[in-house]
Amino acid sequence: MTKRSGKEWAIRLLPLAVIAGLAIAAFALGLNRYLSMEMLREHGLNLQAYARDHYWQALAGFILVYALATASTIPGPVFLTLLGGMMFGPWIGALAQSTGATLGSIVIYLIYRSAIGTWLRAKFRADAGLMDRITTGIDRNAFVTLFTLRVIPSVPFVLINAAAGMVAAPLKPYIAATFLGLLPSTTIYTWIGSRLGRMMQAGVRPDLETLVRQFFWPLMGVAFLSLLLPLFIKLWQGWRRRRTVAA
């Protein structure tokens, strides 16, 4: 194996350093604090009005902000998703969120694929942990594995992006699985966001307690995707394996 020079490593690691720098700068400036219920209460109605008056600019801006938030791995994207529902309604909001998240995910995917993917893959294979299982599944069937992981909200988003880059998953299935897999839970959140917008127009200032109380069952839908869907998928895969063996 050819030993890489320091300059080659620097070039390969530069994109990762840029993303790390963006994340550090975002936290240093306190931008992560804007992704909160307080942001929705203070700016939600104004952003709704802006979206009504400047629809396409607002839509493009929302997609760009979501892409940047995803690429910089800032926590709190659920509040951006709620904001998308407030500004654009549940359906367009869900499509806009999924588009922005997919664009940001492509950036992370390409960085891990071009930078330190090979080294990380070897490390995680040696550890034989969660990341190794994810990358092995992507090797077998990229679209099905990635779609399944995207549908389950509890699977850390950045881990999926990194795993796909490490195994150099085909880009088209990666994009399709990311966009489509995000839609179920995203649509629930944007529906909640659209209802929050109506509540705020009526003079209600919602907090997290109100969010849980008013939207308990939709949130249970997200919990279903996180907790029960993996069990159903596992049972279905076992059933398919038994059918294959029997045939």
Side-chain angles (χ1 to χ4, degrees):
M1 182 181 296
T2 304
K3 186 176 180 180
R4 297 186 183 277
S5 67
K7 182 178 180 180
E8 289 175 319
W9 273 112
I11 292 173
R12 288 171 65 84
L13 293 175
L14 179 60
L16 196 62
V18 171
I19 293 299
L22 286 174
I24 293 170
F27 279 103
L29 293 171
L31 298 182
N32 57 302
R33 291 196 296 271
Y34 286 99
L35 303 183
S36 63
M37 283 297 297
E38 186 65 24
M39 178 271 291
L40 295 179
R41 288 195 298 266
E42 296 299 323
H43 305 290
L45 291 179
N46 289 335
L47 290 170
Q48 275 186 313
Y50 182 81
R52 285 195 301 269
D53 296 337
H54 308 280
Y55 186 82
W56 293 109
Q57 295 95 318
L59 187 62
F62 177 81
I63 291 172
L64 177 61
V65 168
Y66 212 107
L68 291 173
T70 301
S72 60
T73 67
I74 298 175
V78 65
F79 295 105
L80 266 182
T81 306
L82 292 172
L83 179 61
M86 292 176 63
M87 293 175 67
F88 308 108
W91 311 118
I92 299 300
L95 292 172
Q97 184 275 349
S98 192
T99 299
T102 300
L103 292 173
S105 296
I106 292 171
V107 173
I108 300 298
Y109 163 88
L110 292 174
I111 287 172
Y112 276 94
R113 180 169 178 171
S114 63
I116 58 174
T118 303
W119 175 76
L120 282 175
R121 173 106 194 236
K123 184 180 186 305
F124 288 126
R125 183 183 290 120
D127 294 340
L130 173 63
M131 287 295 290
D132 183 53
R133 293 195 294 274
I134 292 174
T135 54
T136 300
I138 294 172
D139 278 342
R140 292 199 193 102
N141 191 323
F143 178 82
V144 171
T145 300
L146 290 168
F147 178 80
T148 301
L149 292 171
R150 296 297 195 194
V151 166
I152 303 170
S154 58
V155 178
F157 202 74
V158 68
L159 290 185
I160 306 171
N161 300 335
M166 282 187 281
V167 300
L171 187 57
K172 288 183 179 179
Y174 175 79
I175 293 173
T178 299
F179 182 82
L180 296 174
L182 289 172
L183 286 176
S185 60
T186 292
T187 302
I188 294 174
Y189 281 125
T190 51
W191 181 86
I192 292 174
S194 69
R195 296 307 185 272
L196 281 176
R198 294 181 184 178
M199 291 171 60
M200 291 173 61
Q201 289 173 353
V204 177
R205 287 177 60 84
D207 53 21
L208 288 176
E209 182 181 349
T210 303
L211 184 69
V212 174
R213 186 174 63 251
Q214 294 288 333
F215 304 105
F216 177 80
W217 289 112
L219 291 172
M220 286 301 98
V222 178
F224 166 80
L225 293 174
S226 297
L227 301 175
L228 297 181
L229 186 61
L231 175 61
F232 286 129
I233 291 172
K234 189 173 182 179
L235 292 173
W236 176 73
Q237 290 174 334
W239 175 76
R240 284 194 62 186
R241 282 195 296 269
R242 288 193 296 272
R243 282 197 61 185
T244 302
V245 172

